Amino acid sequence: MDSAETVMQIAGSWLRFPVTPAQLEASAADPNRHSFAVTDAQTNILIGHCELYQQEHSVKIGKVVIGNRAYRGRGLCTPLMEQLLQVAFEQFRAPLVELNVFDWNTSAIRCYERCGFEINPGAETLKEVNGKTWRTYNMILSRDKWRSTI
């Protein structure tokens, strides 16, 4: 992650630029945080990262990134989200899954909507990044709605 903007886009306020080994170790030590490597199934090449964070009444999807630029734009968002949702709802028994996304990330928002997420009204936040204000939408999906779409 080469800039404060990239860190904010991928990790929100969970990490600070420049990301240090200590930050990553603290994140990995959190027993409620479950990290997943995203790999190309055919070549086993590492292409990205994502996390599920267990909270009291929900599971939050975060730090989703396809870091290998050669794999971006290939429609990987929807199948990745489907796998994360299956783990969140079936393995962790979450009643609700949520995520945050910046309003300018329209391709991600469309992907999340295809998976059943809806913008949570009134749950927007503002983040300051290098003197600019970024709006964050919180998006949610209930287990019942997810079940009706699979």
Side-chain angles (χ1 to χ4, degrees):
M1 295 187 272
D2 60 355
S3 68
E5 290 87 353
T6 301
V7 172
M8 180 61 74
Q9 180 181 359
I10 294 168
S13 301
W14 294 351
L15 299 174
R16 303 246 185 257
F17 182 78
V19 177
T20 64
Q23 290 178 67
L24 296 175
E25 289 166 8
S27 180
D30 185 335
N32 293 319
R33 192 173 310 281
H34 307 276
S35 297
F36 301 90
V38 181
T39 59
D40 179 315
Q42 294 176 343
T43 65
N44 207 31
I45 293 173
L46 177 67
I47 62 170
H49 173 87
C50 56
E51 291 185 358
L52 293 177
Y53 185 73
Q54 289 181 276
Q55 303 176 116
E56 187 173 345
H57 300 291
S58 68
V59 167
K60 187 172 239 178
I61 295 174
K63 297 181 185 166
V64 177
V65 62
I66 302 298
N68 186 322
R69 295 184 189 280
Y71 286 83
R72 293 184 186 167
R74 292 188 178 188
L76 299 175
C77 179
T78 300
L80 175 58
M81 295 306 293
E82 288 170 348
Q83 289 183 352
L84 289 171
L85 290 169
Q86 185 172 9
V87 171
F89 286 126
E90 293 181 358
Q91 184 177 334
F92 296 155
R93 304 275 185 230
L96 182 77
V97 174
E98 62 181 302
L99 56 81
N100 293 326
V101 61
F102 290 105
D103 64 350
W104 47 262
N105 196 346
T106 55
S107 61
I109 292 169
R110 282 192 307 272
C111 169
Y112 303 148
E113 288 173 337
R114 280 192 304 272
C115 294
F117 282 92
E118 296 175 336
I119 293 175
N120 186 2
E124 295 178 8
T125 57
L126 300 176
K127 303 280 186 184
E128 290 294 322
V129 183
N130 288 339
K132 298 175 191 167
T133 302
W134 290 4
R135 181 180 315 278
T136 304
Y137 294 137
N138 176 259
M139 298 184 78
I140 56 175
L141 176 61
S142 71
R143 182 183 323 171
D144 291 340
K145 183 174 180 193
W146 175 73
R147 281 185 182 150
S148 71
T149 62
I150 56 171

